[in-house]
Amino acid sequence: MYSNKEIWNVTYPIFLGLLAQNVINVTDTAFLGHVSEVALGASAMGGLLYICFYTVAFGFSVGSQILIARRNGEGNYHAIGPIMWQGSAFSFGMAVVLLAAMYVFAEPLIRLLITSDNVYHATYEFFIWRIWGFLFAFVNVMFRALYIGITQTKVLTMSAIVMAVVNVVLDYVLVFGEWGFPEMGVRGAALASVIAEASSLVFYLIYTYTKVDLHKYALHRFGRFDWNMVGRILHISSFTMVQYFLSMAIWFVFFMALERLGERQLAIANIVRSVYVVMLIPVQSLSTTANTLVSNLIGSGGVAKVVRLLNRIARMSFYIMVVCVVLCVAFPHAILSVYTNETALLDESVMSLYVICGSMLIASFAFVYFNGISGTGNTQAALVLEIGVQVFYALYIIVVGMVIQAPVEICFTTEVIYYTLMLAFSLLYLKKAKWQNKKI
């Protein structure tokens, strides 16, 4: 059984890594929020569309991470390298295919999804530059899977800091045209993010080559491309790939609904979502820890201790989130002013922020237990659970956002419902289902 200290030692580098990594989302929103509402909306729609495809690779890496963690828990270290390199090759191949496909289909796809001409043109301009990040981000997530799986998570912090610093500097010079660079607006924000992801990959490669025992983990050789190995990874990760894609696609449905309410409502939603993403970081960090520690624990024969471990991590998640919510409720204008200095826009965003705060208290439990299910290797069950919750989510937002056209803060109540259902179904599964003897 892992102690609180051991849980935190795995979690805090993931937390710092996600914090630095999300500087990309925050800085893009913050800089473009000072350009125009259209630019702000375009970064939301274009960024979400990018993340929808990125999460396919992320889902693949989560399946790889579960396998790596299980082999690490078993002490079968030489099996880790083939998972890493074969998975990286497959993930990079996905990136090339998606990049080519988006160059052909991005324009009609975005036109289909967005009604406002101004937002459409700005979104396409952002997205067509942003998709070059596939080539780097799809490999980055495999390095993330490696280091989380072997519980050497401190490198994630260092990599994300490199990425964050590069992105902040380039956002400043490329969005506004400082230091002799051209003023590129939304294109500059997209290009800055791509270069930041490339710098992160370079860091991972250098660090792995110079600091890691390549022979211990069989990382010193690639060998031939092995479809059998990729098939074994896909057996676990195919469900997480679909799951993560759907979880982001449903967010896109949310923003489609708000885009039809108007550019102002879309800007409010993007500002609040940016705060929401930052608040999710400690929850995501602890849920990622839950995922990998559950898999390690099962690999070392500790099945009976899994639920107690999840309860401990969930309590830590809740206590941290209470502090975050208190700060948001106490200083809403100070937090929101990072993204805009327009008083009316700030005032209109406060109620939505309060709704998100309520949903995050529930999410602090829901994410941990849900990721615990994936950690057991039962990714198919996690996918079924996710789909069930998302069907209700989609119907709710279509009715509330598109049919009734309710205010933004009412639309955000979907998050409260989403996490409540996720928590209830996750607890029911862990209590009633036969997950203890899952072999991967």
Side-chain angles (χ1 to χ4, degrees):
M1 183 67 173
Y2 296 96
S3 66
N4 287 347
K5 183 178 180 181
E6 289 171 321
I7 293 169
W8 182 245
N9 284 339
V10 175
T11 300
Y12 87 84
I14 300 173
F15 170 79
L16 294 175
L18 284 172
L19 183 64
Q21 192 173 39
N22 276 279
V23 168
I24 286 184
N25 299 321
V26 173
T27 52
D28 282 354
T29 302
F31 280 115
L32 293 175
H34 293 279
V35 174
S36 69
E37 287 185 8
V38 170
L40 193 58
S43 70
M45 301 299 284
L48 275 172
L49 189 56
Y50 173 85
I51 293 173
C52 281
F53 295 107
Y54 164 81
T55 51
V56 174
F58 189 83
F60 180 77
S61 76
V62 169
S64 304
Q65 172 193 315
I66 293 167
L67 278 172
I68 290 170
R70 186 65 57 88
R71 301 297 169 256
N72 190 67
E74 295 167 350
N76 187 10
Y77 303 119
H78 278 82
I80 290 173
I83 298 171
M84 168 62 188
W85 291 132
Q86 298 295 328
S88 296
F90 181 79
S91 192
F92 183 76
M94 287 195 297
V96 172
V97 171
L98 276 174
L99 177 62
M102 286 301 99
Y103 251 94
V104 176
F105 299 112
E107 189 170 5
L109 175 63
I110 294 171
R111 179 73 280 181
L112 177 67
L113 297 173
I114 296 175
T115 57
S116 165
D117 287 338
N118 290 333
V119 176
Y120 157 72
H121 289 297
T123 299
Y124 176 75
E125 188 178 23
F126 177 90
F127 184 70
I128 207 65
W129 284 74
R130 188 69 184 92
I131 55 178
W132 286 97
F134 289 155
L135 299 177
F136 312 109
F138 278 40
V139 182
N140 281 340
V141 292
M142 286 301 303
F143 279 100
R144 181 181 183 275
L146 169 67
Y147 287 110
I148 292 175
I150 62 176
T151 68
Q152 295 182 19
T153 52
K154 292 181 180 179
V155 64
L156 304 183
T157 303
M158 294 182 280
S159 171
I161 289 172
V162 169
M163 185 163 60
V165 170
V166 170
N167 188 71
V168 170
V169 172
L170 291 181
D171 258 344
Y172 175 70
V173 300
L174 293 177
V175 171
F176 300 116
E178 302 291 342
W179 302 351
F181 284 82
E183 184 178 345
M184 299 178 67
V186 293
R187 289 177 299 150
L191 181 58
S193 298
V194 172
I195 297 173
E197 287 171 336
S199 68
S200 176
L201 178 57
V202 171
F203 173 83
Y204 273 132
L205 290 169
I206 294 172
Y207 182 92
T208 303
Y209 182 75
T210 58
K211 299 293 185 180
V212 176
D213 186 342
L214 302 179
H215 288 272
K216 176 181 178 180
Y217 297 107
L219 292 166
H220 59 290
R221 64 179 184 273
F222 177 83
R224 295 182 178 181
F225 186 74
D226 185 355
W227 275 111
N228 288 330
M229 175 60 71
V230 172
R232 290 171 63 190
I233 299 172
L234 283 170
H235 181 71
I236 298 295
S237 63
S238 58
F239 301 110
T240 57
M241 291 165 74
V242 176
Q243 173 198 324
Y244 278 96
F245 176 80
L246 290 176
S247 67
M248 290 311 305
I250 208 73
W251 256 109
F252 201 86
V253 172
F254 179 88
F255 272 81
M256 282 175 59
L258 293 180
E259 188 267 337
R260 283 158 173 77
L261 296 178
E263 294 171 2
R264 182 74 164 194
Q265 287 74 17
L266 183 59
I268 292 170
N270 195 25
I271 290 171
V272 174
R273 175 184 170 272
S274 191
V275 179
Y276 178 25
V277 166
V278 174
M279 291 180 71
L280 269 176
I281 292 172
V283 176
Q284 289 177 322
S285 304
L286 283 160
S287 63
T288 299
T289 298
N291 184 299
T292 196
L293 291 187
V294 164
S295 193
N296 271 278
L297 193 60
I298 294 174
S300 60
V303 174
K305 301 176 182 178
V306 165
V307 174
R308 277 192 292 154
L309 172 66
L310 291 175
N311 291 340
R312 179 175 291 178
I313 296 174
R315 283 195 299 270
M316 294 172 67
S317 178
F318 178 73
Y319 295 149
I320 293 171
M321 192 48 55
V322 167
V323 175
C324 295
V325 166
V326 168
L327 290 174
C328 283
V329 172
F331 308 105
H333 284 82
I335 292 169
L336 294 169
S337 64
V338 172
Y339 305 98
T340 182
N341 51 13
E342 185 183 337
T343 304
L345 188 57
L346 284 172
D347 291 338
E348 292 175 43
S349 302
V350 171
M351 284 304 300
S352 295
L353 179 63
Y354 290 161
V355 174
I356 286 302
C357 286
S359 72
M360 289 309 304
L361 293 174
I362 306 169
S364 63
F365 289 106
F367 260 100
V368 171
Y369 290 111
F370 180 75
N371 276 270
I373 294 173
S374 295
T376 67
N378 285 269
T379 52
Q380 183 176 7
L383 173 61
V384 171
L385 190 157
E386 179 84 8
I387 290 174
V389 173
Q390 286 182 355
V391 167
F392 190 88
Y393 183 109
L395 292 173
Y396 185 93
I397 193 58
I398 288 170
V399 172
V400 173
M402 295 183 179
V403 178
I404 300 175
Q405 296 190 329
V408 179
E409 60 268 21
I410 300 301
C411 292
F412 268 116
T413 59
T414 54
E415 301 305 304
V416 176
I417 294 168
Y418 175 78
Y419 290 123
T420 300
L421 291 174
M422 178 187 286
L423 176 60
F425 289 143
S426 296
L427 290 174
L428 183 64
Y429 178 86
L430 289 167
K431 185 176 181 179
K432 299 293 185 181
K434 303 297 182 182
W435 49 266
Q436 291 85 352
N437 298 315
K438 177 72 175 179
K439 302 294 182 182
I440 61 173

